[in-house]
């Protein structure tokens, strides 16, 4: 079985992965990082969004071996003891109900703010087209992201 | 077996063996696989530097086969490419646009591929490479049917080449059952070039999702030459859409598609004409 080496949440990691292992399976099953969720099998729901070399991707749409040498950030990599401002904003504004979509929502939202530090409500709703919330909690998710963007701008983004 | 070559030469040599499948962005590949294992060896093209990037030359623009939709959106390109950029924003979600390649959209050859009408309107050519050599095929002959292309088993699409033979504003309109993340019922790309008197000098119009392969509306393009920019939408007649062969399916009836396409063609032309004012 090939060995895959990548940087995950700032740490160099390597593990054995059958070539057909999806990145999301490698993160969850090999590395035990179960914060990245699997919500569908059609690359639509966005629960598995992680950052790959700084851009948001669906970790169900690529193989672990394709991430060889790349830098991956998952929801577990955001906090250094204190919640990252976007995470804090989701808690503050109740941007979740069951929480299943939340890791993907937060990772997607941070990529948005990295590209566009002052997104409008329309920008946020448009950006979230690849993240589905089954509790229909978009109203508070959008509020949380707006607040999270402001907090990231004020406190420096990570 | 998983192969991730670093050079194009290694890639075409590996592909000369039978039963090797090509993987790039993976956004069609993995969902189509479901729970099954890949049937044969998989050749990943994403580590080959020669396939990356978008080059802007004086005569033509070259979109590398591994270039993503996000790269198309972020690269400054002439306004004839605005239709392609608008289509890029409609391909799945942002995360899909970050991974999915333009070339993969063409090779997948869905009748509803958002990338096809804008590239047809741009007169794009497909560059193919195998151990036997290189060839170029116009996009209009590259895709031959639903999920069918002329790419031979040993060939890799290395680039999409766009000759700079039209300069002017362009537009892309798509109709789906909802606003986002949706398969097209009908879509239209239009590019207009003005002559020295401010009338239409050259027009290009392509319609997708209304035939097995997206089609240019050649008769309409001819009839638009000489039209005033304010009358381009009104010039569209039902006979101009006779080359289309829409089907009835769960997303809409043939009659609805034909009617929607005609409306979208007129609106796309008006939107492109509006680009002259900006």
């Amino acid at each position: 079985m090939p060995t895959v080496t990548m940087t995950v949440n700032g740490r160099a990691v390597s593990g054995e992965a059958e070539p057909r292992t999806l990145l999301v399976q490698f993160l969850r099953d090999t590395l035990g990082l179960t914060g990245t969720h699997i919500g569908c099998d059609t690359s639509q729901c966005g629960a598995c969004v992680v950052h790959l070399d700084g851009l948001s991707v669906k970790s169900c749409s690529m193989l672990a071996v394709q991430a060889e040498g790349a830098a991956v950030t998952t929801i577990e990599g955001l906090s250094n003891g204190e919640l990252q401002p976007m995470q804090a904003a989701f808690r503050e504004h109740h941007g979740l109900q069951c929480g299943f979509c939340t890791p993907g929502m937060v990772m997607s939202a941070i990529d948005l703010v990295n590209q566009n530090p002052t997104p409008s409500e329309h920008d946020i709703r448009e950006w979230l087209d690849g993240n589905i919330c089954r509790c229909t909690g978009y109203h508070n998710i959008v509020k949380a992201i707006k607040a999270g963007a402001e907090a990231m701008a004020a406190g420096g983004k990570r | 077996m998983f192969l991730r070559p670093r050079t194009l030469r290694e890639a075409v040599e590996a592909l000369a063996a039978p039963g090797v499948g090509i993987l790039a962005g993976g956004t069609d590949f993995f969902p189509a696989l479901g729970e099954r294992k890949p049937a044969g060896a998989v050749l990943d093209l994403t580590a080959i530097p020669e396939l990356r990037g978008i080059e802007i030359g004086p005569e033509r623009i070259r979109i590398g086969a591994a270039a993503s939709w996000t790269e198309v959106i972020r690269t400054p390109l002439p306004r004839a490419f605005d239709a392609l950029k608008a289509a890029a924003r409609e391909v799945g979600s942002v995360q899909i646009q970050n991974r999915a390649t333009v070339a993969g959209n063409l090779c997948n050859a869905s009748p509803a591929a958002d990338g096809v009408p804008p590239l047809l309107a741009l007169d794009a050519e497909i560059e193919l490479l195998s151990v036997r050599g290189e060839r170029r095929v116009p996009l209009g002959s590259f895709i031959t049917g639903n999920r069918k292309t002329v790419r031979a088993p040993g060939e890799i699409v290395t680039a999409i080449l766009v000759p700079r033979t039209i300069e002017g504003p362009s537009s892309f309109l798509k109709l789906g059952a909802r606003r986002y993340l949706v398969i097209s019922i009908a879509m239209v790309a239009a590019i207009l070039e003005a002559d020295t008197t401010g009338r239409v000098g050259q027009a290009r119009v392509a319609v997708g999702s209304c035939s097995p392969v997206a089609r240019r509306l050649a008769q309409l393009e001819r009839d638009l030459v000489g039209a005033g920019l304010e009358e381009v939408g009104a010039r569209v007649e039902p006979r101009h859409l006779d080359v289309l062969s829409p089907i009835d399916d769960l997303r809409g009836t043939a009659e609805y598609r034909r009617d929607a396409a005609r409306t979208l063609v007129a609106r796309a032309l008006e939107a492109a004409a509006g680009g002259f004012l900006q």
Side-chain angles (χ1 to χ4, degrees):
Chain A
M1 228 186 305
T3 301
V4 191
T5 304
M6 64 185 90
T7 305
V8 178
N9 298 332
R11 252 178 354 111
V13 297
S14 66
E16 289 194 336
E18 260 193 87
R20 66 186 167 117
T21 308
L22 297 173
L23 178 60
V24 67
Q25 295 165 333
F26 182 77
L27 293 171
R28 289 176 56 85
D29 303 342
T30 308
L31 302 182
L33 295 171
T34 52
T36 302
H37 294 166
I38 302 172
C40 74
D41 58 3
T42 50
S43 297
Q44 294 194 61
C45 81
C48 69
V49 171
V50 301
H51 294 183
L52 179 83
D53 293 328
L55 289 182
S56 59
V57 300
K58 295 189 173 181
S59 57
C60 69
S61 300
M62 62 180 293
L63 299 171
V65 286
Q66 290 186 292
E68 174 72 36
V72 176
T73 306
T74 70
I75 190 77
E76 289 94 340
L78 295 180
S79 153
N80 54 5
E82 238 173 80
L83 290 182
Q84 195 270 0
M86 188 62 75
Q87 290 177 299
F90 267 71
R91 185 173 67 177
E92 176 74 17
H93 294 272
H94 202 68
L96 62 149
Q97 286 185 40
C98 82
F100 195 85
C101 71
T102 312
M105 288 284 178
V106 170
M107 297 312 286
S108 212
I110 292 172
D111 189 24
L112 166 64
V113 177
N114 288 341
Q115 317 284 337
N116 174 2
T118 53
S120 67
E121 180 179 337
H122 177 78
D123 295 338
I124 294 168
R125 288 186 180 274
E126 190 151 78
W127 186 274
L128 290 183
D129 67 355
N131 293 85
I132 295 171
C133 167
R134 282 184 51 170
C135 310
T136 66
Y138 295 105
H139 181 72
N140 283 354
I141 289 170
V142 172
K143 268 206 301 193
I145 294 174
K146 197 127 190 18
E150 283 159 19
M152 280 171 69
K157 60 191 177 193
R158 275 209 315 274
Chain B
M1 188 166 52
F2 180 74
L3 305 164
R4 197 165 195 241
R6 306 287 157 148
T7 68
L8 207 43
R9 169 166 285 280
E10 285 174 74
V12 287
E13 281 169 5
L15 204 60
V20 180
I22 294 180
L23 170 69
T27 57
D28 282 311
F29 188 92
F30 296 119
L33 215 50
E35 295 292 311
R36 288 173 292 123
K37 287 187 187 187
V42 174
L43 180 74
D44 177 11
L45 299 182
T46 56
I48 303 173
E50 296 139 283
L51 297 181
R52 291 210 191 116
I54 298 173
E55 284 169 33
I56 302 166
E59 303 286 314
R60 65 171 195 208
I61 288 168
R62 180 190 172 89
I63 301 170
S68 68
W69 287 109
T70 296
E71 285 175 76
V72 169
I73 294 167
R74 293 197 187 162
T75 303
L77 292 168
R79 56 189 177 162
F81 284 74
D82 287 350
L84 184 65
K85 289 189 177 213
R89 295 188 184 92
E90 299 283 346
V91 177
S93 61
V94 174
Q95 293 76 29
I96 298 301
Q97 292 156 20
N98 283 341
R99 290 291 299 170
T101 63
V102 185
N105 191 244
L106 306 183
C107 291
N108 191 53
S110 161
D114 290 326
V116 176
L119 286 166
L120 269 184
L122 285 165
D123 266 345
E125 283 190 315
I126 308 303
E127 183 185 83
L128 295 137
L129 184 72
S130 72
V131 288
R132 295 180 304 280
E134 190 186 290
R135 64 172 176 145
R136 287 185 198 168
V137 182
L139 176 58
S141 355
F142 176 73
I143 304 174
T144 54
N146 183 7
R147 311 266 169 193
K148 290 194 190 86
T149 71
V150 298
R151 188 180 70 81
E155 284 184 311
I156 291 175
V157 169
T158 47
I160 300 157
L161 307 172
V162 179
R164 302 183 71 168
T165 48
I166 187 164
E167 202 298 302
S170 61
S171 66
F172 175 80
L173 293 177
K174 163 170 166 171
L175 174 71
R178 56 174 186 260
R179 177 64 192 83
Y180 296 109
L181 221 69
V182 67
I183 297 175
S184 300
I185 294 168
M187 61 188 142
V188 174
I191 311 175
L192 290 175
E193 184 174 270
D195 64 16
T196 49
T197 66
R199 301 181 83 80
V200 174
Q202 194 188 165
R204 310 240 186 107
V205 183
V207 180
S209 275
C210 289
S211 42
V213 183
R215 296 292 299 264
R216 287 271 291 269
L217 303 186
Q219 186 60 50
L220 174 61
E221 293 180 2
R222 285 192 290 272
D223 288 353
L224 283 167
V225 173
L229 294 174
E230 69 296 337
E231 56 171 346
V232 287
R235 288 276 179 119
V236 183
E237 296 171 30
R239 66 182 172 91
H240 289 132
L241 287 87
D242 284 351
V243 294
L244 304 177
S245 48
I247 56 166
D248 292 315
D249 70 3
L250 80 171
R251 286 186 277 276
T253 62
E255 191 190 352
Y256 175 69
R257 279 198 163 86
R258 196 177 289 279
D259 187 60
R262 187 180 154 206
T263 303
L264 287 179
V265 167
R267 286 183 191 167
L269 284 166
E270 282 160 6
F276 284 107
L277 304 173
Q278 285 162 14

